[in-house]
Amino acid sequence: MTEAGAESLAEMLDERQHLLEIALWMFSSEITADRIVQETYRRWYALDDEERASIAVPRAWLTRAAGSIALELLAAPFPSDPAHRPEPITDLTQHQVRFSQAMLARHDRVARRFAAACETGDTAALRAVLAADAIVVSDGGGKLRAAVHPTYGADAVARFVTALLTGQPGTEVAAGSVNGRTGLVLRRGGQAVAVVSVSVAGAEVTAVWIVLNPDKLQRWHRP
């Protein structure tokens, strides 16, 4: 993920899932885990170009950062409001909570709201489903590795998504399975032109990951 040779978004999605697994191993709260991952990437992009270039193995750096953030949360005094307390994982049964049908159903509902807003090109509806600190990352569509520049904030993300994904003649926008959870697949003439994965916390989309590289889209093509 150095600026000179950033990973493709497909690889970044795999990397993000790895970080999420670390956070979920320590906390049973999906919301807490997602915040840990978001903070990990915030710290990465807060580094300057020289600092990022000096990191030989970005994935290892991110893994350490995520673990450090999780430990900081565990060591912090609990807030007075129990609803905001992170819940440490105590056994395998709790660790499997993240795979529950209830959580998948919630993600599906939010992702489909997002998909509906994309299908109609409704920027206001997109803004309504996005978290205030939402982020969007796109691979830019190139076949070569290229720098991944995120866009932050619900307003900016809504404008970016509207401009990139909506209003394209002959393009079908459909909800579909992306990395095991509901996402979006955009097709033109049966050929996938974009695949979108979303991260969800509560009733909001916290992150949007857009794959445009045609080499990564072949398995979503339809005959």
Side-chain angles (χ1 to χ4, degrees), residues 97-132:
V97 168
R98 70 184 187 275
F99 298 114
S100 70
Q101 292 301 312
M103 295 175 72
L104 289 174
R106 183 187 66 189
H107 184 280
D108 179 76
R109 288 193 298 270
V110 177
R112 288 182 184 278
R113 283 179 57 206
F114 180 85
C118 287
E119 186 172 13
T120 59
D122 189 336
T123 304
L126 274 172
R127 172 65 181 82
V129 76
L130 293 168

Side-chain angles (χ1 to χ4, degrees), residues 170-223:
T171 300
E172 171 199 4
V173 181
S177 178
V178 178
N179 296 321
R181 293 193 176 188
T182 303
L184 283 74
V185 182
L186 282 73
R187 297 183 179 90
R188 188 176 301 123
Q191 301 295 295
V193 294
V195 169
V196 183
S197 176
V198 296
S199 300
V200 170
E204 298 176 322
V205 170
T206 58
V208 182
W209 312 83
I210 305 173
V211 177
L212 299 170
N213 187 330
D215 289 343
K216 304 294 184 180
L217 301 176
Q218 296 179 16
R219 65 191 178 101
W220 280 283
H221 292 339
R222 284 179 176 168

